[in-house]
Amino acid sequence: MVKAWYLNGDPVGAAAQKPNAHTPALSVSNELLAELGFGISWVDVDGEDTVKHIVEDVCGKRGWRSWDEITISPKLPNYSSLLQTFYTEHFHPDAEIRLIIEGTGYFDVRSPNDIWIRVWAERGDLIVVVRSLDISCLWTDVRDRVMTSCCF
């Protein structure tokens, strides 16, 4: 089940690593996310062959032939800069699909009226980001390890 809400302010500083929701939370529906060009659904990702099959299927349906897999972990020599790259607001010139294989995190999406929406992503979430969308990602897994596969 998708958990998405309007942020209480901008996603910056110490507040960025917390849910940062209004009290009570102002939920955002799947339909509104889809209107913005941010789709999310859940798939079963148990087993390496299953993940490979899902990625090949998702890419194939869109005529995409490329994908990558990334693991974000404190063991990486460029861990801090890698996290900053994801977290810095960035514009998607092309569509992208990201499958969360392991870990958890937030995707922040800027709405057309300049209000940030936070989406909680966890293992099995298949996220579609259309082109021309401003987003940032903040990985929050308690183990500090996130693995994703991306089709483009």
Side-chain angles (χ1 to χ4, degrees):
M1 179 176 181
V2 176
K3 296 176 189 139
W5 58 91
Y6 287 103
L7 282 177
N8 186 9
D10 287 338
V12 295
Q17 297 193 15
K18 298 178 181 173
N20 202 14
H22 293 272
T23 304
L26 302 173
S27 297
V28 175
S29 68
N30 274 355
E31 293 78 19
L32 178 57
L33 289 172
E35 286 176 26
L36 296 174
F38 187 94
I40 187 167
S41 58
W42 186 86
V43 294
D44 185 0
V45 292
D46 288 330
E48 188 174 317
D49 291 339
T50 303
V51 169
K52 182 179 179 189
H53 174 73
I54 291 167
V55 171
E56 287 175 347
D57 185 54
V58 168
C59 288
K61 285 180 180 175
R62 289 167 175 78
W64 298 345
R65 304 216 188 296
S66 300
W67 66 83
D68 65 9
E69 191 170 288
I70 185 168
T71 299
I72 303 167
S73 164
K75 295 178 182 177
L76 296 172
N78 61 340
Y79 176 67
S80 294
S81 64
L82 187 58
L83 282 182
Q84 189 59 39
T85 299
F86 277 105
Y87 183 64
T88 301
E89 178 182 357
H90 53 282
F91 179 78
H92 276 253
D94 298 306
E96 173 181 295
I97 295 176
R98 192 152 298 274
L99 173 63
I100 310 300
I101 301 168
E102 182 178 310
T104 59
Y106 298 121
F107 278 80
D108 293 336
V109 182
R110 185 186 290 273
S111 70
N113 57 352
D114 209 28
I115 298 174
W116 284 97
I117 297 170
R118 177 154 283 180
V119 181
W120 176 249
E122 57 191 342
R123 178 178 167 79
D125 284 340
L126 183 66
I127 296 163
V128 179
V129 179
V130 299
R131 54 183 287 185
S132 305
L133 189 64
D134 290 324
I135 69 165
S136 67
C137 310
L138 180 64
W139 306 114
T140 61
D141 193 83
V142 293
R143 297 177 310 250
D144 270 339
R145 184 173 190 275
V146 176
M147 183 166 48
T148 69
S149 186
C150 179
C151 299
F152 46 92

